[in-house]
Amino acid sequence: MLDLFFRLERAISQVALYAAVLMLIASVSLGFYQVLTRFVFDAPSTWSEVMARSTMIWCVFLGAAATFRGGYMMAVEVIYKLVPTSALKALEILIATCCMIVLAILVIYGYQMTLRVQNQMLSGVGISIAWIYAAIPIGAAFSLLSVITRLIAQLTGRETIGVVDAEAPARAPEPESRPGPDTGTSSGTEGRKQP
């Protein structure tokens, strides 16, 4: 049952991530088009700036789900280093609970805001501004699912707890102690004489 849940969440997060990438491509393309029409053709577009901003909003909220799932959100690493290993689970539960509360508020109030602005039109485009505001509850719902899945994976031992430093080189395993030549000492003390 848990494996099915993880597979479903992975598929949903992939869809959100691909949609975020498409929105980023659209935002950059629309921004380039806006600059082109304004400064090259001297006939600024009335809709491209609004749509570039709107697609960037969708990109951020959809991309947040993948960041939460991978644990790439900003972390204060010194807290992980100060907390004893036995308390790391409790720390992760506290962090995930805080994230879930904020994301649940975004889902609830984002949905209410989306309903409230559905009669307002996006300037220069003529579509409801609710399509843009819908990024808040939808992106927060994806992120909420990601936070819950990450916490379950950590508590069940499927993922490591704490911050993984991606920039630090992997440490090689410690070499075993072997007797050094002619001294009978370990390899770390080969230059010293033993009594």
Side-chain angles (χ1 to χ4, degrees), residues 111-184:
Y111 176 71
Q112 291 175 358
M113 284 174 48
T114 302
L115 292 179
R116 194 174 301 130
V117 299
Q118 64 185 348
N119 293 328
Q120 296 178 16
M121 293 296 152
L122 202 57
S123 63
V125 185
I127 63 170
S128 173
I129 202 169
W131 288 105
I132 312 309
Y133 275 77
I136 299 170
I138 291 172
F142 283 142
S143 297
L144 188 59
L145 177 65
S146 295
V147 169
I148 292 169
T149 306
R150 179 172 168 80
L151 182 62
I152 292 171
Q154 287 177 330
L155 294 179
T156 57
R158 295 172 186 246
E159 293 180 13
T160 58
I161 295 177
V163 177
V164 177
D165 190 2
E167 295 178 4
R171 288 180 30 177
E174 296 288 327
E176 293 181 22
S177 293
R178 293 178 296 189
D182 299 330
T183 62

Side-chain angles (χ1 to χ4, degrees), residues 75-120:
V76 183
E77 293 180 28
V78 70
I79 293 175
Y80 286 94
K81 292 176 182 173
L82 291 175
V83 172
T85 310
S86 59
L88 281 178
K89 277 189 180 180
L91 179 64
E92 285 293 338
I93 291 170
L94 176 67
I95 292 170
T97 303
C98 292
C99 290
M100 286 188 280
I101 290 169
V102 170
L103 291 169
I105 290 170
L106 282 175
V107 169
I108 294 165
Y109 286 101
Y111 176 71
Q112 291 175 358
M113 284 174 48
T114 302
L115 292 179
R116 194 174 301 130
V117 299
Q118 64 185 348
N119 293 328
Q120 296 178 16

Side-chain angles (χ1 to χ4, degrees), residues 47-82:
W47 58 272
S48 58
E49 183 180 351
V50 174
M51 290 306 296
R53 191 170 52 238
S54 302
T55 52
M56 183 55 72
I57 291 168
W58 272 98
C59 171
V60 168
F61 277 98
L62 290 175
T67 352
F68 274 112
R69 182 63 183 98
Y72 303 121
M73 296 303 278
M74 185 174 64
V76 183
E77 293 180 28
V78 70
I79 293 175
Y80 286 94
K81 292 176 182 173
L82 291 175

